[in-house]
Short mmCIF file of all heavy atoms in Angstrom, two decimals:
data_model
loop_
_atom_site.label_atom_id
_atom_site.label_comp_id
_atom_site.label_asym_id
_atom_site.label_seq_id
_atom_site.Cartn_x
_atom_site.Cartn_y
_atom_site.Cartn_z
N ILE A 238 13.06 42.70 -199.77
CA ILE A 238 13.84 43.38 -198.73
C ILE A 238 15.25 42.80 -198.65
O ILE A 238 16.24 43.55 -198.56
CB ILE A 238 13.11 43.27 -197.37
CG1 ILE A 238 11.82 44.11 -197.40
CG2 ILE A 238 14.02 43.71 -196.22
CD1 ILE A 238 10.87 43.83 -196.26
N LYS A 239 15.33 41.50 -198.73
CA LYS A 239 16.64 40.84 -198.63
C LYS A 239 17.58 41.34 -199.75
O LYS A 239 18.74 41.67 -199.50
CB LYS A 239 16.43 39.32 -198.75
CG LYS A 239 17.64 38.50 -198.38
CD LYS A 239 17.30 37.01 -198.46
CE LYS A 239 18.57 36.20 -198.69
NZ LYS A 239 18.27 34.84 -199.12
N SER A 240 17.05 41.40 -200.95
CA SER A 240 17.87 41.83 -202.08
C SER A 240 18.21 43.31 -201.99
O SER A 240 19.33 43.72 -202.27
CB SER A 240 17.16 41.52 -203.40
OG SER A 240 18.00 41.81 -204.49
N ALA A 241 17.23 44.11 -201.56
CA ALA A 241 17.45 45.55 -201.43
C ALA A 241 18.54 45.83 -200.40
O ALA A 241 19.38 46.73 -200.58
CB ALA A 241 16.16 46.25 -201.04
N LYS A 242 18.53 45.06 -199.33
CA LYS A 242 19.56 45.23 -198.28
C LYS A 242 20.94 44.91 -198.84
O LYS A 242 21.93 45.55 -198.50
CB LYS A 242 19.26 44.30 -197.10
CG LYS A 242 18.33 44.92 -196.08
CD LYS A 242 18.16 44.04 -194.86
CE LYS A 242 17.17 44.70 -193.90
NZ LYS A 242 16.53 43.73 -193.03
N LYS A 243 20.97 43.90 -199.72
CA LYS A 243 22.25 43.46 -200.27
C LYS A 243 22.81 44.48 -201.27
O LYS A 243 23.99 44.83 -201.20
CB LYS A 243 22.06 42.10 -200.95
CG LYS A 243 23.36 41.51 -201.50
CD LYS A 243 23.25 40.03 -201.80
CE LYS A 243 22.51 39.78 -203.08
NZ LYS A 243 22.66 38.38 -203.55
N THR A 244 21.96 44.96 -202.18
CA THR A 244 22.47 45.80 -203.28
C THR A 244 22.33 47.30 -203.01
O THR A 244 23.08 48.10 -203.56
CB THR A 244 21.72 45.50 -204.59
OG1 THR A 244 20.36 45.90 -204.44
CG2 THR A 244 21.80 44.01 -204.94
N GLY A 245 21.35 47.67 -202.21
CA GLY A 245 21.15 49.08 -201.90
C GLY A 245 20.51 49.89 -203.01
O GLY A 245 20.30 51.10 -202.87
N ARG A 246 20.18 49.26 -204.13
CA ARG A 246 19.54 49.96 -205.26
C ARG A 246 18.58 49.01 -205.94
O ARG A 246 18.95 47.86 -206.22
CB ARG A 246 20.56 50.40 -206.31
CG ARG A 246 21.57 51.41 -205.86
CD ARG A 246 22.51 51.70 -207.03
NE ARG A 246 23.70 52.41 -206.58
CZ ARG A 246 24.80 51.82 -206.15
NH1 ARG A 246 24.89 50.50 -206.14
NH2 ARG A 246 25.83 52.55 -205.77
N VAL A 247 17.39 49.50 -206.24
CA VAL A 247 16.39 48.62 -206.86
C VAL A 247 15.81 49.29 -208.11
O VAL A 247 15.45 50.47 -208.10
CB VAL A 247 15.25 48.29 -205.87
CG1 VAL A 247 14.16 47.50 -206.56
CG2 VAL A 247 15.79 47.52 -204.66
N ILE A 248 15.75 48.51 -209.18
CA ILE A 248 15.06 48.97 -210.40
C ILE A 248 13.87 48.03 -210.62
O ILE A 248 14.01 46.81 -210.52
CB ILE A 248 15.99 48.90 -211.64
CG1 ILE A 248 17.18 49.86 -211.45
CG2 ILE A 248 15.23 49.23 -212.92
CD1 ILE A 248 18.25 49.69 -212.54
N THR A 249 12.70 48.60 -210.88
CA THR A 249 11.55 47.75 -211.20
C THR A 249 11.23 47.93 -212.68
O THR A 249 11.39 49.02 -213.23
CB THR A 249 10.30 48.13 -210.36
OG1 THR A 249 9.97 49.49 -210.63
CG2 THR A 249 10.56 47.93 -208.88
N VAL A 250 10.81 46.85 -213.30
CA VAL A 250 10.50 46.89 -214.74
C VAL A 250 9.19 46.17 -215.00
O VAL A 250 9.03 45.00 -214.63
CB VAL A 250 11.60 46.22 -215.59
CG1 VAL A 250 11.50 46.70 -217.03
CG2 VAL A 250 12.98 46.45 -215.03
N GLU A 251 8.26 46.87 -215.62
CA GLU A 251 6.95 46.26 -215.87
C GLU A 251 6.32 46.87 -217.12
O GLU A 251 6.57 48.03 -217.45
CB GLU A 251 6.02 46.49 -214.68
CG GLU A 251 5.78 47.98 -214.40
CD GLU A 251 5.14 48.25 -213.06
OE1 GLU A 251 4.18 47.54 -212.72
OE2 GLU A 251 5.61 49.16 -212.35
N GLU A 252 5.49 46.10 -217.77
CA GLU A 252 4.76 46.59 -218.94
C GLU A 252 3.41 47.12 -218.45
O GLU A 252 2.36 46.57 -218.70
CB GLU A 252 4.55 45.46 -219.96
CG GLU A 252 4.13 45.97 -221.33
CD GLU A 252 3.62 44.87 -222.23
OE1 GLU A 252 3.49 43.72 -221.78
OE2 GLU A 252 3.31 45.16 -223.40
N HIS A 253 3.49 48.20 -217.71
CA HIS A 253 2.32 48.75 -217.01
C HIS A 253 2.65 50.19 -216.69
O HIS A 253 3.83 50.57 -216.63
CB HIS A 253 2.10 47.94 -215.72
CG HIS A 253 0.85 48.32 -214.95
ND1 HIS A 253 0.81 49.36 -214.06
CD2 HIS A 253 -0.39 47.76 -214.94
CE1 HIS A 253 -0.42 49.43 -213.54
NE2 HIS A 253 -1.16 48.48 -214.05
N ASN A 254 1.65 50.98 -216.45
CA ASN A 254 1.89 52.34 -215.98
C ASN A 254 2.76 52.27 -214.72
O ASN A 254 2.56 51.39 -213.88
CB ASN A 254 0.54 53.00 -215.66
CG ASN A 254 0.65 54.52 -215.50
OD1 ASN A 254 1.73 55.05 -215.19
ND2 ASN A 254 -0.45 55.21 -215.71
N ILE A 255 3.71 53.19 -214.60
CA ILE A 255 4.54 53.20 -213.39
C ILE A 255 3.69 53.53 -212.16
O ILE A 255 4.11 53.33 -211.04
CB ILE A 255 5.74 54.19 -213.50
CG1 ILE A 255 5.25 55.57 -213.90
CG2 ILE A 255 6.79 53.66 -214.47
CD1 ILE A 255 6.28 56.66 -213.68
N ILE A 256 2.46 54.02 -212.40
CA ILE A 256 1.54 54.27 -211.30
C ILE A 256 0.75 52.99 -211.01
O ILE A 256 0.10 52.44 -211.90
CB ILE A 256 0.57 55.42 -211.65
CG1 ILE A 256 1.35 56.73 -211.80
CG2 ILE A 256 -0.52 55.56 -210.59
CD1 ILE A 256 0.51 57.89 -212.32
N GLY A 257 0.83 52.51 -209.81
CA GLY A 257 -0.10 51.45 -209.36
C GLY A 257 0.32 50.03 -209.60
O GLY A 257 -0.40 49.11 -209.22
N GLY A 258 1.47 49.81 -210.21
CA GLY A 258 1.84 48.43 -210.53
C GLY A 258 2.95 47.88 -209.65
O GLY A 258 3.04 48.16 -208.46
N LEU A 259 3.81 47.08 -210.29
CA LEU A 259 4.91 46.41 -209.58
C LEU A 259 5.82 47.43 -208.89
O LEU A 259 6.21 47.26 -207.73
CB LEU A 259 5.71 45.57 -210.58
CG LEU A 259 6.98 44.91 -210.06
CD1 LEU A 259 6.64 43.81 -209.05
CD2 LEU A 259 7.79 44.33 -211.22
N GLY A 260 6.14 48.51 -209.63
CA GLY A 260 7.04 49.52 -209.09
C GLY A 260 6.51 50.11 -207.80
O GLY A 260 7.25 50.24 -206.81
N GLU A 261 5.24 50.43 -207.81
CA GLU A 261 4.67 51.02 -206.60
C GLU A 261 4.56 50.00 -205.47
O GLU A 261 4.71 50.34 -204.30
CB GLU A 261 3.30 51.63 -206.90
CG GLU A 261 3.45 53.03 -207.43
CD GLU A 261 2.19 53.87 -207.30
OE1 GLU A 261 1.18 53.38 -206.74
OE2 GLU A 261 2.23 55.00 -207.77
N ALA A 262 4.29 48.75 -205.83
CA ALA A 262 4.20 47.71 -204.81
C ALA A 262 5.55 47.56 -204.11
O ALA A 262 5.63 47.48 -202.88
CB ALA A 262 3.76 46.38 -205.42
N VAL A 263 6.62 47.57 -204.91
CA VAL A 263 7.97 47.44 -204.35
C VAL A 263 8.32 48.68 -203.53
O VAL A 263 8.85 48.59 -202.42
CB VAL A 263 8.99 47.19 -205.49
CG1 VAL A 263 10.43 47.36 -205.00
CG2 VAL A 263 8.79 45.81 -206.11
N CYS A 264 7.98 49.86 -204.07
CA CYS A 264 8.26 51.11 -203.34
C CYS A 264 7.53 51.14 -201.99
O CYS A 264 8.10 51.57 -200.98
CB CYS A 264 7.85 52.33 -204.16
SG CYS A 264 8.96 52.69 -205.52
N SER A 265 6.28 50.71 -201.99
CA SER A 265 5.50 50.72 -200.74
C SER A 265 6.17 49.84 -199.71
O SER A 265 6.30 50.20 -198.54
CB SER A 265 4.08 50.21 -200.98
OG SER A 265 3.46 50.96 -201.97
N CYS A 266 6.59 48.68 -200.16
CA CYS A 266 7.22 47.73 -199.26
C CYS A 266 8.52 48.30 -198.71
O CYS A 266 8.74 48.35 -197.50
CB CYS A 266 7.46 46.41 -200.01
SG CYS A 266 8.66 45.33 -199.23
N LEU A 267 9.37 48.78 -199.62
CA LEU A 267 10.70 49.24 -199.19
C LEU A 267 10.64 50.52 -198.38
O LEU A 267 11.38 50.68 -197.41
CB LEU A 267 11.61 49.41 -200.41
CG LEU A 267 11.99 48.10 -201.13
CD1 LEU A 267 12.85 48.40 -202.36
CD2 LEU A 267 12.72 47.14 -200.19
N SER A 268 9.77 51.46 -198.76
CA SER A 268 9.75 52.73 -198.02
C SER A 268 9.34 52.51 -196.57
O SER A 268 9.80 53.20 -195.68
CB SER A 268 8.81 53.73 -198.70
OG SER A 268 7.49 53.28 -198.64
N GLU A 269 8.50 51.51 -196.33
CA GLU A 269 8.07 51.26 -194.95
C GLU A 269 9.03 50.35 -194.20
O GLU A 269 9.20 50.48 -192.99
CB GLU A 269 6.67 50.63 -194.94
CG GLU A 269 5.58 51.63 -195.27
CD GLU A 269 4.18 51.07 -195.09
OE1 GLU A 269 4.05 49.86 -194.79
OE2 GLU A 269 3.23 51.85 -195.25
N LYS A 270 9.62 49.40 -194.90
CA LYS A 270 10.37 48.36 -194.19
C LYS A 270 11.87 48.35 -194.42
O LYS A 270 12.60 47.72 -193.66
CB LYS A 270 9.78 46.99 -194.54
CG LYS A 270 8.34 46.90 -194.06
CD LYS A 270 7.64 45.64 -194.48
CE LYS A 270 6.18 45.70 -194.00
NZ LYS A 270 5.38 44.60 -194.52
#
Side-chain angles (χ1 to χ4, degrees):
Chain A
I238 291 166
K239 192 177 156 195
S240 186
K242 272 186 182 156
K243 183 163 77 167
T244 66
R246 296 179 194 89
V247 174
I248 297 172
T249 60
V250 200
E251 61 193 315
E252 195 193 6
H253 185 276
N254 194 336
I255 52 165
I256 295 173
L259 174 68
E261 275 200 3
V263 167
C264 286
S265 304
C266 162
L267 292 178
S268 65
E269 286 187 355
K270 296 175 183 172

